[in-house]
């Protein structure tokens, strides 16, 4: 794996995801594009990702598995990318004195508030992950948020401290490279992911999106493909995909 990663800082861009997509052919493995301002930041489920310019980390990483000493990832194991990214975020926050949890599949929460969102866009080729563009929006120094943003918090809200964005990004990339170096230790990674999982093993309310019914359930694990395993009120374990379940917080 490369000793150092190239981080390109931009003043304004539509979305760092789009920028990495556009530049992909000319970028090295593990290149990072970070922006002080995104005009059309994209979130999960087709949502917008809006944050105040210059106050947060908004960046995307190009990951090319199977090259430059990074193990190949079969398409069926692509959830491991969510695991290593969220574990690296969890460690970065822990190092800053912030105890966080991973809300499946890849949000980062502190208590019941969201501090970070992750958008992972993979391309597959021949049953393998060919490329992955990993977009991360970490709330760092912003202390006030749009009322439309659900349960937000930031590193500054939690610690009272102002963080240097460039330094923080370098620290995160160190944690991410460390996780990548352990990519083949799938079982250990899964155990660590579960031990950091928000609401793991306790009873909470959820909505079954297909039937729009609310139920009480307990998260019991993650399937090999990365589906969320939930013990239903009748004791049966059901597996949910990303758009099939919503947390009631
Ligand atoms: C989410 O909805 O929780 C995921 C948010 C991901 C936002 C990041 S910010 C950097 C990168 N560029 C984008 O347009 N989106 C991701």
């Amino acid at each position: 794996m490369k000793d150092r990663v190239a981080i390109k800082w931009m003043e304004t861009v539509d979305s760092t995801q789009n920028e990495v997509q556009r530049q992909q052919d000319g970028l090295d493995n593990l290149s990072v594009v970070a922006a002080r301002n995104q005009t059309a930041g994209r979130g999960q489920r087709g949502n917008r990702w809006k944050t105040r310019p210059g106050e947060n980390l908004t960046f995307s990483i190009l990951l090319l598995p199977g090259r430059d000493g990074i193990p190949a990832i079969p398409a069926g194991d692509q959830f491991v990318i969510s695991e290593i990214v969220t574990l690296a975020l969890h460690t970065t926050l822990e190092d800053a004195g912030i105890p966080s949890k991973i809300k499946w599949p890849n949000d980062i929460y502190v208590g019941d508030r969201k501090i970070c969102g992750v958008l992972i866009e993979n391309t597959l080729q021949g049953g393998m992950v060919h490329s992955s563009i990993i977009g991360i929006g970490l709330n760092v120094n912003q202390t006030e948020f749009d009322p439309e943003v659900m349960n937000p918090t930031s590193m500054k809200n939690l610690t009272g401290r102002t963080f240097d964005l460039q330094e923080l990004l370098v620290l995160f990339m160190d944690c991410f490279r460390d996780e990548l170096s352990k990519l083949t230790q799938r079982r250990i990674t899964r155990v660590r992911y579960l031990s950091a999982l928000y609401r793991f093993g306790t009873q909470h309310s959820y909505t079954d999106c297909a039937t729009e019914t609310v139920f009480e359930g307990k998260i019991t694990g993650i399937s090999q493909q990365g589906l969320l395993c939930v013990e239903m009120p009748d004791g049966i374990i059901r597996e949910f995909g990303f758009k099939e379940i919503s947390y009631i917080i």
Side-chain angles (χ1 to χ4, degrees), residues 83-84 87 182 185-193:
E83 290 178 309
I84 60 168
L87 283 169
K182 297 183 272 191
Q185 303 169 16
R186 297 279 157 84
R187 281 224 183 101
I188 299 173
T189 303
R190 177 57 55 90
V191 169
R192 290 174 53 233
Y193 181 87

Side-chain angles (χ1 to χ4, degrees), residues 15-17 38 41-44 49 59-60 107 114 117-118 136:
S15 148
T16 57
Q17 288 295 99
Q38 294 190 121
R42 296 193 280 114
Q44 295 159 0
W49 185 259
F59 63 99
S60 300
D107 283 341
K114 178 164 168 171
V118 179
I136 297 175

Side-chain angles (χ1 to χ4, degrees), residues 137-249:
L138 174 61
N139 298 335
V140 183
N141 295 324
Q142 184 170 339
T143 52
E144 283 165 19
F145 294 84
D146 267 17
E148 72 191 49
V149 181
M150 281 265 287
N151 311 324
T153 192
S154 70
M155 294 177 71
K156 186 165 185 175
N157 274 338
L158 292 161
T159 62
R161 287 164 50 206
T162 301
F163 292 83
D164 182 299
L165 297 178
Q166 298 195 3
E167 254 174 41
L168 188 62
L169 179 48
V170 170
L171 291 175
F172 167 77
M173 284 308 294
D174 285 346
C175 292
F176 182 62
R177 290 171 75 251
D178 191 45
E179 290 297 337
L180 266 178
S181 70
K182 297 183 272 191
L183 192 65
T184 49
Q185 303 169 16
R186 297 279 157 84
R187 281 224 183 101
I188 299 173
T189 303
R190 177 57 55 90
V191 169
R192 290 174 53 233
Y193 181 87
L194 287 179
S195 72
L197 194 63
Y198 176 71
R199 289 188 172 179
F200 181 60
T202 48
Q203 205 74 19
H204 294 276
S205 303
Y206 301 90
T207 304
D208 177 339
C209 298
T211 57
E212 291 189 357
T213 48
V214 172
F215 67 92
E216 288 289 304
K218 184 168 78 179
I219 297 174
T220 57
I222 306 288
S223 75
Q224 170 67 21
Q225 292 78 21
L227 301 174
L228 188 69
C229 306
V230 181
E231 187 182 300
M232 303 300 286
D234 58 7
I236 288 173
I237 310 275
R238 244 188 86 181
E239 292 182 0
F240 288 91
F242 182 48
K243 292 182 178 156
E244 296 170 352
I245 186 167
S246 138
Y247 290 62
I248 298 178
I249 296 176

Side-chain angles (χ1 to χ4, degrees), residues 38-140:
Q38 294 190 121
T39 53
R42 296 193 280 114
Q44 295 159 0
R45 304 177 200 248
N47 291 329
R48 291 286 300 273
W49 185 259
K50 288 194 220 161
T51 54
R52 285 204 187 149
E55 298 190 3
N56 304 294
L57 278 181
T58 47
F59 63 99
S60 300
I61 307 165
L62 175 66
L63 173 67
L64 302 168
R67 299 190 222 173
D68 305 307
I70 297 171
I73 303 176
D77 289 349
Q78 57 190 294
F79 186 71
V80 75
I81 301 174
S82 288
E83 290 178 309
I84 60 168
V85 172
T86 52
L87 283 169
L89 286 162
H90 177 77
T91 307
T92 306
L93 289 169
E94 195 171 57
D95 291 347
I98 299 172
S100 67
K101 290 278 181 192
I102 300 165
K103 177 171 167 279
W104 174 88
N106 45 32
D107 283 341
I108 307 292
Y109 267 56
V110 180
D112 285 329
R113 290 181 175 272
K114 178 164 168 171
I115 191 165
C116 181
V118 179
L119 178 66
I120 298 176
E121 297 178 308
N122 295 335
T123 59
L124 308 178
Q125 229 171 56
M128 306 297 283
V129 177
H130 172 254
S131 73
S132 181
I133 302 180
I134 301 161
I136 297 175
L138 174 61
N139 298 335
V140 183

